Amino acid sequence: MKAYSLDLRQKIIDAYLEGKISQRQIAKRFQVALSFVEKLLKQYREIGSIAPKVRIKQTPTKLSQEQLKVLSSIVSDNNDATLDELRILLEQKTGLLIGRSTLGRMLRLLDLKLKKNIVPHRKRD
């Protein structure tokens, strides 16, 4: 999700500093979440800045490098398996059960694609 613009952030701060409107009303007026208004005001009070925070640290992947290698070998041996089947095979080999969406992200990370064995339909006469 993209960060809100500095212009909108400044308008929210200005509206709050006027003192005639509550945080809840500001959120409704600018069509943002109340929690965003609260966090923005807290950031303004503590830091003095309203700029969006820059993400410094990336969230680590769910699987270690060794587990990713195991997943890669599982996919190469079972390239027509579904995500659910791959999850079960990965759990049997590593003892770690992950979700379907996480498995999909790990496959994208490894640049692996599942190829299904689909029998083409014959043309009818």
Side-chain angles (χ1 to χ4, degrees):
M1 188 170 133
K2 288 179 64 176
Y4 289 118
S5 69
L6 285 175
D7 183 48
L8 176 64
R9 290 166 178 262
Q10 188 61 53
K11 287 178 182 178
I12 291 171
I13 294 296
D14 292 342
Y16 181 75
L17 292 177
E18 285 178 11
K20 299 176 183 176
I21 188 169
S22 70
Q23 291 180 13
R24 195 174 303 276
Q25 291 169 330
I26 290 172
K28 190 173 182 181
R29 177 177 172 188
F30 292 103
Q31 297 179 348
V32 296
L34 174 61
S35 61
F36 170 72
V37 174
E38 292 168 346
K39 289 176 186 175
L40 181 63
L41 292 172
K42 180 180 178 185
Q43 179 181 343
Y44 178 73
R45 277 187 236 112
E46 291 178 357
I47 302 172
S49 170
I50 59 170
K53 294 180 181 176
V54 178
R55 187 174 185 175
I56 298 170
K57 186 177 177 184
Q58 184 66 29
T59 305
T61 60
K62 298 287 183 196
L63 301 178
S64 67
Q65 289 299 320
E66 183 179 312
Q67 292 167 332
L68 286 171
K69 288 178 186 175
V70 170
L71 177 60
S72 180
S73 68
I74 290 172
V75 172
S76 64
D77 294 341
N78 304 288
N79 66 350
D80 62 339
T82 64
L83 289 176
D84 280 330
E85 292 168 344
L86 290 174
R87 286 176 59 229
I88 293 167
L89 291 170
L90 182 66
E91 182 186 20
Q92 290 171 353
K93 291 196 177 189
T94 63
L96 179 68
L97 182 64
I98 58 176
R100 240 187 340 226
S101 59
T102 303
L103 181 63
R105 282 192 303 275
M106 296 300 109
L107 292 176
R108 244 183 285 128
L109 178 72
L110 293 170
D111 198 29
L112 296 174
K113 295 179 176 46
L114 299 176
K115 295 184 179 180
K116 300 292 179 197
N117 292 331
I118 299 174
V119 178
H121 295 283
R122 293 187 214 178
K123 290 185 180 179
R124 293 185 178 174
D125 294 331

